[in-house]
Amino acid sequence: MECPRCHSNKTHKYGHQRGKQRYKCNECGRQFIEVKTERGYDEKTKLLCLKMYLNGMGFRAIERVTGVHHTTIIGWVKKISLRLKDVCCFTLINP
Ligand SMILES: [Zn+2]
């Protein structure tokens, strides 16, 4: 389980909270509950979609390959482009 604060994988199970598994990070000490990523897609699927987008694939093409709805992908791209706004090669193309 990855720590939501420092993204370390050095975490361990740390009891339960409201029936959910709780974890504690060995690196920064943060306690967190296992969370599902937004709309049920996991981090690997999200990264795959973003990689396809960065390689010039259109949103609807990515949707056909991965099965992720294009509006979800657009949301991810918008979110990540805010973080990557200083990266000159990254341009947000409007669908
Ligand atoms: Zn941590």
Side-chain angles (χ1 to χ4, degrees):
M1 186 52 59
E2 189 183 284
C3 173
R5 183 196 276 168
C6 70
H7 301 288
S8 165
N9 283 312
K10 288 173 187 159
T11 57
H12 60 272
K13 288 181 180 179
Y14 195 71
H16 290 84
Q17 190 176 311
R18 292 186 206 129
K20 287 175 179 170
Q21 182 66 54
R22 185 163 53 163
Y23 294 85
K24 188 173 182 184
C25 176
N26 296 348
E27 298 282 327
C28 69
R30 164 96 178 230
Q31 289 173 33
F32 57 97
I33 308 287
E34 181 173 8
V35 279
K36 296 270 178 271
T37 52
E38 49 194 328
R39 301 189 200 202
Y41 296 114
D42 61 24
E43 210 54 26
K44 274 180 192 166
T45 308
K46 187 172 166 179
L47 283 174
L48 180 67
C49 293
L50 290 169
K51 268 183 197 168
M52 286 176 173
Y53 171 74
L54 288 171
N55 280 296
M57 279 178 76
F59 293 115
R60 284 171 199 277
I62 300 169
E63 181 181 344
R64 277 195 297 275
V65 175
T66 62
V68 180
H69 199 268
H70 62 273
T71 55
T72 304
I73 304 166
I74 292 166
W76 290 339
V77 168
K78 280 184 178 165
K79 214 180 262 183
I80 214 149
S81 67
L82 293 174
R83 261 190 274 165
L84 297 178
K85 63 183 176 193
D86 296 330
V87 181
C88 61
C89 61
F90 189 95
T91 50
L92 180 62
I93 302 161
N94 289 316

